[in-house]
């Protein structure tokens, strides 16, 4: 069963544990600036939205990559960046209409959520269950899909 | 069903793969004219900068990729298309029959009509062969003149700088990136380059080039001259359409295609840099010689070729560029529309710039310098024509709130009802 991240902003207290966990998992440091998931605060922190890649099926980033550096992990369904192949051209960063694949100046490559290979550390770290890792059918996945279709450049 | 695809670039390869997925029984042949595995021109600068080896430029990895998909890759050059008997004629003398044809022949470089432009010390940076020639000649410390500071010129600039050459850039227009950046952005990029030791001459024409004992002298419009060991010409490209003469396929600057990526001749499609197709922003037929358009064109043309009618809403003009680590991007109608409004935040000393263009309360274009995080949402906003409502006024005050505006207006997960407190 494919799983995905379920995000419930109502439960988010903006504690940034997810960003810390993500940064540590991927970069070995506790630095929210290096996180693949990002908390956006509204009304001076009264409201917060955790935001990251939804691993959309017809991934814009994957299709736009000129050197096949982004591929789908058959087990987790995550679109993963192969750092050894990525040349750092950044085309994916403008092609993704969700803004969830970003350039990392330190490495000269792009970074995005890879679901930590099936054990997402953000969900693990979240103390309020604002981020959980559940069967895809339970999530707001369909809403995201709807949005993706709206952004599509073609229609059947 | 037999599909012939002319061109082994991204549009052609993605079309072939899409055809295979859609029509497992079809016969699919890609005809490419270069003696290389299908590769990406976009990756050439990274080869020149020695970030990657040649294999790193390949569109697909794994030696059996095309064999595994039962896609035939033929190295030859198409010299003519004969729609009356559905054949293409090849330079080798052979010919191929097709049921559906895709033209994805891309473009070729052009050089300005200046005396001396045919000297052997002048190279383009367009093909893998060009890349090898530059790698051979652009040694550290050598004097290199780059003609043209458009998008391609600026990518090449980055690669040449990485090779530690003494670099001079000559651009005819009044600023760098005249078609991708406004004056503010173009000037910032120029100043950035100069700060890093690259000499940039804008509003400057090369009037002639002469060679003596392996060294070249470029005469400039103001009467001065510069010396060079190597000249890299990046002054422009033109679609490869000459072989279509007499075929009946209608062309303008490129091959005219409709919302199905079909040309004026039924059964013949075009995709990528050679196709002049619907522009998302204007509805007119334009050439958008960019990777995302090549990819979208290739996929949608293939679906139509396979008998799955698919309507293309149009390509969005956009670019992203790294100029000596100053990152710039442009989207859609960044120059604005009549009666529209503009939000601007300029930090000249910090090399940061963001310009949003509105039509009513919809973002229709943008320019950004020094912005790398979540930049894709600008495409999201433009392409979905999201009505920003009261967020428009906030963006007019501070365009850097674009990600917040995007989240609030699109994701629908930030409604007051979901307030935790």
């Amino acid at each position: 069963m494919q799983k995905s991240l379920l995000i419930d902003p109502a439960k988010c207290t903006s504690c940034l544990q997810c960003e810390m966990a993500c940064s540590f998992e991927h970069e070995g440091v506790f630095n929210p600036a290096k996180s693949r998931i990002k908390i956006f605060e509204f009304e001076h922190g009264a409201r917060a939205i955790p935001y990251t890649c939804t691993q959309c099926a017809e991934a814009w980033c994957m299709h736009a990559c000129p050197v096949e550096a982004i591929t789908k992990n058959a087990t987790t369904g995550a679109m993963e960046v192969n750092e050894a192949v990525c040349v750092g051209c950044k085309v994916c960063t403008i092609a993704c209409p969700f803004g969830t694949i970003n350039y990392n100046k330190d490495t000269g490559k792009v970074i995005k959520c890879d679901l930590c290979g099936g054990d997402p550390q953000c969900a693990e770290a979240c103390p309020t269950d604002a981020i959980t890792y559940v069967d895809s059918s339970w999530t707001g996945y369909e809403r995201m899909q709807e949005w993706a279709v709206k952004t599509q450049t073609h229609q059947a | 069903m037999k599909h012939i695809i002319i061109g082994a670039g991204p549009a052609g390869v993605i079309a072939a793969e899409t055809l295979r997925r859609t029509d497992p029984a079809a016969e699919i042949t890609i005809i490419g004219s270069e003696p290389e595995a299908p590769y990406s021109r976009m990756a050439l600068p990274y080869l020149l900068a020695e970030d990657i080896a040649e294999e790193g430029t390949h569109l697909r990895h794994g030696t059996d990729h095309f064999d595994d998909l039962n896609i035939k890759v033929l190295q030859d050059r198409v010299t003519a298309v004969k729609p009356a008997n559905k054949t293409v004629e090849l330079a080798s003398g052979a010919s191929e029959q097709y049921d559906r044809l895709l033209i994805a022949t891309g473009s070729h470089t052009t050089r300005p009509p200046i005396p001396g432009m045919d000297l052997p010390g002048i190279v383009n940076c367009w093909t893998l062969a060009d890349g090898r020639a530059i790698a051979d000649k652009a040694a550290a410390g050598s004097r290199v003149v780059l003609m043209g500071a458009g998008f391609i010129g600026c990518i090449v600039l980055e690669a040449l700088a990485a090779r530690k050459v003494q670099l001079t850039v000559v651009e005819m227009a009044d600023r760098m990136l005249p078609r991708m950046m406004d004056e503010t952005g173009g000037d910032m990029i120029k100043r950035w380059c100069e700060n890093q030791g690259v000499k940039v001459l804008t509003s400057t024409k090369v009037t002639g080039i002469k060679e003596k004992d392996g060294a070249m002298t470029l005469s400039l419009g103001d009467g001065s001259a510069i010396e060079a060991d190597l000249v890299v010409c990046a002054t422009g490209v033109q679609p490869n359409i000459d072989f279509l003469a007499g075929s009946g396929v209608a062309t303008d600057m490129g091959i005219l295609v409709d919302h199905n990526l079909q040309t004026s001749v039924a059964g013949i499609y075009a995709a990528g840099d050679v196709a002049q197709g619907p522009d998302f922003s204007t509805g007119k037929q334009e050439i958008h010689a960019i990777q995302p358009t090549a990819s979208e064109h290739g996929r949608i043309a293939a679906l139509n070729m396979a008998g799955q009618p698919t309507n293309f809403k149009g390509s969005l003009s956009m670019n992203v560029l790294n100029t000596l680590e100053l990152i710039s991007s442009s989207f859609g109608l960044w120059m604005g529309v009549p009666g529209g409004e503009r939000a601007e935040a300029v930090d000249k000393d910090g090399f940061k710039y963001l310009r949003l263009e509105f039509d009513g309360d919809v973002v229709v274009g943008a320019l950004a310098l020094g912005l790398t995080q979540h930049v894709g949402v600008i495409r999201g906003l433009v392409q979905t024509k999201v009505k920003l409502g009261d967020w428009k006024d906030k963006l007019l005050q501070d365009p850097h709130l674009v990600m917040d505006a995007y989240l609030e207006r699109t994701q629908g997960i930030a409604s007051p009802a979901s307030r935790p407190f």
Side-chain angles (χ1 to χ4, degrees):
Chain A
M1 179 72 72
Q2 200 94 13
K3 294 174 87 175
S4 47
L5 291 171
L6 170 65
I7 291 176
D8 183 355
K11 291 181 180 168
C12 177
T13 62
S14 196
C15 71
L16 304 190
Q17 289 298 315
C18 55
E19 293 192 6
M20 300 285 243
C22 179
S23 163
F24 187 70
E25 170 71 14
H26 293 98
E27 308 282 341
V29 290
F30 292 107
N31 180 358
K34 292 179 185 270
S35 174
R36 278 85 171 143
I37 188 165
K38 186 91 194 131
I39 306 291
F40 287 87
E41 292 186 359
F42 292 86
E43 289 133 39
H44 307 288
R47 217 150 46 78
I49 304 175
Y51 189 70
T52 191
C53 173
T54 60
Q55 318 294 348
C56 58
E58 286 292 317
W60 303 80
C61 57
M62 182 173 75
H63 286 307
C65 179
V67 292
E68 204 183 22
I70 303 171
T71 50
K72 185 173 181 165
N73 180 316
T75 311
T76 64
M79 307 299 154
E80 298 178 345
V81 179
N82 183 341
E83 272 215 13
V85 179
C86 173
V87 295
C89 75
K90 295 170 279 297
V91 167
C92 56
T93 70
I94 59 167
C96 167
F98 307 98
T100 49
I101 184 162
N102 294 304
Y103 182 60
N104 179 357
K105 277 194 171 183
D106 296 341
T107 58
K109 317 274 177 181
V110 293
I111 54 175
K112 71 180 289 298
C113 170
D114 59 0
L115 296 175
C116 299
D119 183 19
Q121 293 301 297
C122 53
E124 193 84 3
C126 180
T128 61
D129 282 348
I131 308 165
T132 47
Y133 191 52
V134 298
D135 289 347
S136 294
S137 50
W138 294 9
T139 70
Y141 191 60
E142 279 152 28
R143 185 180 55 221
M144 294 295 191
Q145 289 269 298
E146 223 169 81
W147 176 245
V149 168
K150 204 177 155 198
T151 324
Q152 286 287 13
T153 48
H154 72 269
Q155 60 200 22
Chain B
M1 183 71 78
K2 183 170 181 185
H3 300 283
I4 296 276
I5 296 167
I6 317 174
V13 165
I14 288 168
E17 292 167 345
T18 308
L19 280 170
R20 177 52 73 228
R21 271 198 301 277
T22 321
D23 187 351
E27 205 178 317
I28 304 168
T29 302
I30 298 176
I31 305 173
S33 61
E34 290 180 51
E36 324 280 359
Y39 71 96
S40 167
R41 300 208 195 291
M42 271 196 58
L44 284 178
Y46 306 95
L47 175 70
L48 272 184
E50 294 177 1
D51 289 344
I52 54 170
E54 277 199 16
E55 301 82 66
T57 68
H58 292 174
L59 288 169
R60 297 294 178 260
H61 309 290
T63 44
D64 300 330
H65 177 80
F66 296 99
D67 284 347
D68 290 349
L69 291 174
N70 193 20
I71 293 168
K72 193 170 153 194
V73 182
L74 194 65
Q75 191 205 311
D76 211 323
R77 195 167 49 81
V78 174
T79 52
V81 174
K82 306 280 181 186
N85 48 10
K86 293 196 166 181
T87 54
V88 294
E89 292 175 0
L90 305 174
S92 62
S95 66
E96 287 274 344
Q97 202 85 31
Y98 64 82
D99 296 307
R100 301 272 187 280
L101 178 68
L102 178 67
I103 305 168
T105 45
S107 37
H108 61 277
T109 53
T110 58
R111 292 183 180 186
I114 295 168
M117 279 309 292
D118 53 352
L119 288 170
I122 304 174
V123 295
N124 297 108
C125 185
W126 193 238
T127 62
L128 258 178
D130 291 338
R132 292 179 196 119
I134 296 176
D136 194 38
K137 290 174 179 166
S142 59
R143 299 164 300 175
V144 179
V145 173
L146 173 64
M147 290 174 65
F151 180 73
I152 295 166
C154 282
I155 293 191
V156 178
L157 184 159
E158 168 96 4
L160 290 169
R163 298 184 71 85
K164 304 200 182 322
V165 302
Q166 292 179 49
L167 186 59
T168 305
V169 183
V170 184
E171 167 60 49
M172 244 166 51
D174 63 354
R175 62 180 185 275
M176 294 179 78
L177 294 160
R179 287 200 304 269
M180 175 181 159
M181 275 291 144
D182 61 10
E183 224 166 277
T184 305
D187 287 350
M188 255 186 223
I189 294 171
K190 178 180 175 180
R191 205 154 41 81
W192 176 271
C193 290
E194 288 171 339
N195 287 350
Q196 319 237 357
V198 176
K199 197 171 169 191
V200 184
L201 307 172
T202 46
S203 302
T204 303
K205 269 188 186 176
V206 175
T207 54
I209 306 181
K210 282 183 180 149
E211 187 190 2
K212 198 182 171 192
D213 304 327
M216 286 170 285
T217 305
L218 290 84
S219 308
L220 305 181
D222 64 1
S224 66
I226 39 176
E227 304 277 314
D229 303 306
L230 175 70
V231 174
V232 179
C233 182
T235 51
V237 295
Q238 261 176 16
N240 289 321
I241 54 174
D242 288 354
F243 69 99
L244 290 172
S247 69
V249 173
T251 59
D252 178 32
M253 290 295 288
I255 300 170
L256 294 166
V257 291
D258 62 17
H259 280 272
N260 296 317
L261 279 314
Q262 190 164 221
T263 69
S264 61
V265 177
I268 301 184
Y269 298 76
D273 292 13
V274 77
Q276 188 173 341
D279 176 321
F280 173 84
S281 301
T282 64
K284 293 178 185 162
Q285 284 167 302
E286 306 277 1
I287 296 173
H288 289 161
I290 54 173
Q291 173 78 21
T293 297
S295 158
E296 287 161 16
H297 272 183
R299 201 162 81 250
I300 292 162
L303 291 173
N304 284 300
M305 290 166 75
Q308 289 189 9
T310 305
N311 187 36
F312 184 49
K313 291 183 185 169
S315 52
L316 180 65
S317 173
M318 55 184 179
N319 265 314
V320 61
L321 184 68
N322 194 347
T323 317
L324 310 175
E325 286 307 311
L326 176 61
I327 292 154
S328 54
S329 53
S330 67
F331 297 86
L333 302 172
W334 57 263
M335 63 302 284
V337 291
E341 280 175 274
R342 178 186 308 172
E344 231 179 352
V346 190
D347 173 5
K348 282 195 175 171
D349 296 327
F351 293 96
K352 283 195 189 311
Y353 179 40
L354 183 59
R355 167 177 171 177
L356 302 177
E357 289 289 342
F358 297 89
D359 187 1
D361 64 350
V362 172
V363 176
V364 292
L367 293 178
L369 248 84
L371 184 74
T372 56
Q373 298 307 296
H374 314 294
V375 65
V377 300
I378 298 177
R379 179 192 192 177
L381 286 174
V382 173
Q383 199 124 27
T384 48
K385 300 185 179 173
V386 172
K387 290 192 171 299
L388 288 165
D390 53 0
W391 271 97
K392 180 191 162 185
D393 284 335
K394 293 181 196 173
L395 288 175
L396 287 173
Q397 296 289 320
D398 181 4
H400 285 291
L401 293 173
V402 64
M403 183 61 189
D404 302 71
Y406 169 85
L407 281 175
E408 285 278 53
R409 298 302 299 173
T410 65
Q411 296 295 299
I413 50 182
S415 63
S418 69
R419 248 171 217 240
F421 306 112

